[in-house]
Amino acid sequence: MAGIMMGAYALGIGAAAVVVWLAVHRRRGDAARAGIRPVLHAARRRAVIAVVFSTIVFIAGALVGIAIPEMLGQSFAVTPLIAGAAGMLLYSATPPRQIVLRADEPRAAQLVPRSALSAVPSRWATGFLVTTVAFIALVVFCGMTADLDEQGRSRTIGFESEEVSSWSSPYPGWFYGVPVLIALVVLVACTAIALQRISATPAFPRPADAVLDQLWRRRSVEVILKLGIGAILFSLGGIAATAGMAMGNAVIAGSTPILWSVMSGVLWISGAVALVLSIVSVTLAGLTAVTIGEAATRMESVR
């Protein structure tokens, strides 16, 4: 089942890549002044590379999981989070490009201090936070409802009645939950590093370009948050769908409380929805990346 899910997700990523490619080839020509244009190009390139690199790491991790079945699917749960973190680390490690001024040209400093949260849009920040909290809640729920398999690993779920017992595996207990929580911490840390990297980049030297400077920062932050949300949603979706299927297989008809059957369906459906939304989020990250500077250059052309 994991292989089918990964194949479907790969097709979704391929479709997303086509959408992003079409967006790139339909972009308007840049109209910003020569001094700003290279900086905007560099910001755009940096964000696109981060999204592409995350996708490559994700595919590599998925192939490792398929090639090493002894991992029992741990790679499928952890890889999306690690892939997102890898893209953000590469983004943070890429040096910024600064505007070159003539020796006699003044550089004006902005008096308003910036922080890692200065350019963070509240909508996407809220989405990132809600997704993270939902992910943690799901992992804790699955860990607390899981049972041990014959080798003492928390990866099964079972129900018992007076006459019969029913067990199903794999179930995302702590055997999967602990690694993904560690990977989530890594992703959140890399997100904070990337946001700090964006805020620490020197501002445009001319006061007249302050609005343009804020625009490219905001778009770059959106790329990071959308990429992070997509990574969390994929892992969340996989865990929820797997939990729902295992729970449904273990339910004993006529004996297990109906609540567990309802929970099984809710988890399966919500998992499928989360997987679709993860593709949407990563696609939006790519679209935002390739259009960094577009709003700025259009504003400049109107002036």
Side-chain angles (χ1 to χ4, degrees):
M1 184 64 187
I4 296 176
M5 291 171 61
M6 296 300 295
Y9 194 78
L11 290 176
I13 290 294
V18 172
V19 172
V20 174
W21 183 85
L22 291 174
V24 172
H25 287 75
R26 291 182 179 180
R27 284 192 299 107
R28 298 182 182 182
D30 291 339
R33 63 182 177 83
I36 292 181
R37 193 179 306 126
V39 178
L40 295 177
H41 286 175
R44 183 184 306 153
R45 182 169 56 250
R46 189 163 57 244
V48 170
I49 291 175
V51 176
V52 172
F53 184 67
S54 293
T55 304
I56 293 174
V57 173
F58 170 80
I59 295 174
L63 292 177
V64 169
I66 295 173
I68 309 178
E70 293 79 7
M71 298 182 68
L72 301 177
Q74 280 185 331
S75 175
F76 297 125
V78 175
T79 291
L81 302 172
I82 297 300
M88 295 177 190
L89 278 181
L90 180 62
Y91 180 94
S92 302
T94 305
R97 183 164 184 172
Q98 302 184 22
I99 295 177
V100 179
L101 298 178
R102 300 189 307 270
D104 59 342
E105 190 174 0
R107 178 184 289 270
Q110 295 187 19
L111 300 180
V112 179
R114 287 194 307 270
S115 68
L117 302 179
S118 296
V120 175
S122 58
R123 178 180 59 178
W124 289 104
T126 301
F128 186 89
L129 179 61
V130 170
T131 305
T132 301
V133 172
F135 180 83
I136 295 174
L138 175 65
V139 171
V140 172
F141 169 78
C142 291
M144 294 181 65
T145 55
D147 295 301
L148 302 180
D149 63 9
E150 64 278 2
Q151 297 184 7
R153 297 170 299 200
S154 175
R155 58 184 301 270
T156 67
I157 185 172
F159 301 99
E160 297 182 0
S161 65
E162 296 180 355
E163 300 179 351
V164 66
S165 298
S166 178
W167 305 88
S168 180
S169 180
Y171 183 78
W174 294 121
F175 178 76
Y176 303 96
V178 172
V180 298
L181 287 178
I182 295 174
L184 177 65
V185 171
V186 173
L187 176 67
V188 172
C190 292
T191 301
I193 292 173
L195 296 181
Q196 178 60 35
R197 158 72 171 76
I198 294 171
S199 67
T201 302
F204 292 160
R206 296 181 179 179
D209 297 328
V211 175
L212 306 185
D213 181 80
Q214 181 67 15
L215 277 173
W216 83 259
R217 292 179 196 274
R218 185 180 181 88
R219 293 292 184 268
S220 298
V221 168
E222 287 183 7
V223 173
I224 296 300
L225 293 180
K226 291 172 184 176
L227 182 60
I229 292 173
I232 297 173
L233 279 175
F234 180 82
S235 189
L236 184 152
I239 291 174
T242 302
M245 288 186 293
M247 193 179 293
N249 292 334
V251 166
I252 303 174
S255 176
T256 305
I258 190 65
L259 176 64
W260 289 102
S261 297
V262 174
M263 181 64 69
S264 170
V266 170
L267 286 173
W268 164 245
I269 294 173
S270 61
V273 171
L275 289 172
V276 173
L277 290 179
S278 69
I279 297 178
V280 173
S281 186
V282 173
T283 303
L284 290 176
L287 290 173
T288 304
V290 299
T291 56
I292 287 179
E294 286 295 299
T297 55
R298 285 198 291 270
M299 284 182 59
E300 186 73 14
S301 65
V302 173
R303 292 187 176 184

